[in-house]
Amino acid sequence: MTRVLITGFAPFDGERVNPSWQAASLVAAEPPAGLTVTATELPCAFGDSLVALREAVRTVGPDLVLCLGQAGGRPGVTVERVGINVDDARIPDNKGRRPVDEPVVPDGPAAYFSTLPVKACVAAMREAGVPAAVSNTAGTFVCNHVAYGLGHLIATEFPHIRGGFAHVPWAPEQVTDGQAPALPPATVAHGLRALLTAAARTPAGQDLKVTEGATH
């Protein structure tokens, strides 16, 4: 059995729910065949989120880690290719912190690439009927903070783990104007099960050789 840690965030910016945690909980409640999945909710706060992530990794002892966050406005699940070493918050986190141009890890490398097979993960979700894409930016808020922080944990403390980050769209209940794209958390969870299965089956260091580039 492949042990998986999946994380989502607590609600932030005045929202009542966070679809990343909703989807993570659903996947843990009904994991894919061959995988044991533990879900952990991370605080939407700089610093505190990485403390909670490290503790969860130490407790669960996973083979794979998938961290999730909300990206309102994106139409599908986006698997992040890279996390960068900068915090630059447009809005305060849940502790009122709003860092500007600060490193996630002082003296850390500029970026960490995901160690998940991002293209195979996207292909698996599409095959499952869930809209998905590779993303080349995780932003500069707490999502990127965790994406980079996970990469740093893997590089410095847990080299046997493979892990990465994915953004999920708003849940329908969060869209009040009826115009913004949204996906039900159950649909997202269906796609994430396919993602995790693909990640577990793809040997480390391998991925599909297909185009998922972007011009902007």
Side-chain angles (χ1 to χ4, degrees):
M1 298 288 284
T2 298
R3 290 171 295 180
V4 177
L5 171 65
I6 188 169
T7 73
F9 282 112
F12 70 101
D13 198 27
E15 296 280 359
R16 295 187 304 106
V17 298
N18 191 315
S20 68
W21 175 240
Q22 291 175 311
S25 299
L26 290 171
V27 174
E30 191 177 339
L35 278 63
T36 60
V37 180
T38 301
T40 296
E41 185 182 65
L42 301 182
C44 188
F46 293 100
D48 295 7
S49 54
L50 296 187
V51 173
L53 175 61
R54 185 176 186 273
E55 180 60 30
V57 169
R58 290 176 62 87
T59 300
V60 175
D63 304 298
L64 295 174
V65 179
L66 176 65
C67 296
L68 304 174
Q70 170 188 301
R74 292 188 184 182
V77 180
T78 47
V79 183
E80 300 297 340
R81 192 194 300 259
V82 63
I84 60 174
N85 193 14
V86 64
D87 293 329
D88 193 0
R90 182 180 58 83
I91 59 174
D93 68 9
N94 285 356
K95 290 291 187 70
R97 300 167 182 152
R98 194 176 178 185
V100 175
D101 296 339
E102 295 182 10
V104 180
V105 177
D107 300 320
Y112 284 110
F113 283 103
S114 174
T115 54
L116 298 180
V118 295
K119 295 181 178 181
C121 290
V122 166
M125 283 189 286
R126 289 174 180 163
E127 187 173 348
V130 177
V134 173
S135 168
N136 295 304
T137 176
T140 55
F141 194 52
V142 185
C143 288
N144 175 76
H145 185 80
V146 165
Y148 182 91
L150 173 62
H152 190 70
L153 279 177
I154 292 171
T156 60
E157 296 185 52
F158 304 100
H160 63 286
I161 292 174
R162 289 190 291 157
F165 194 98
H167 273 108
V168 306
W170 275 319
E173 65 189 284
Q174 295 175 283
V175 178
T176 58
D177 62 5
Q179 302 296 318
L183 282 178
T187 301
V188 173
H190 177 64
L192 294 176
R193 293 184 187 99
L195 181 161
L196 291 172
T197 299
R201 292 177 177 175
T202 304
Q206 296 187 24
D207 201 354
L208 298 179
K209 199 70 173 178
V210 296
T211 298
E212 288 289 347
T215 57
H216 62 279

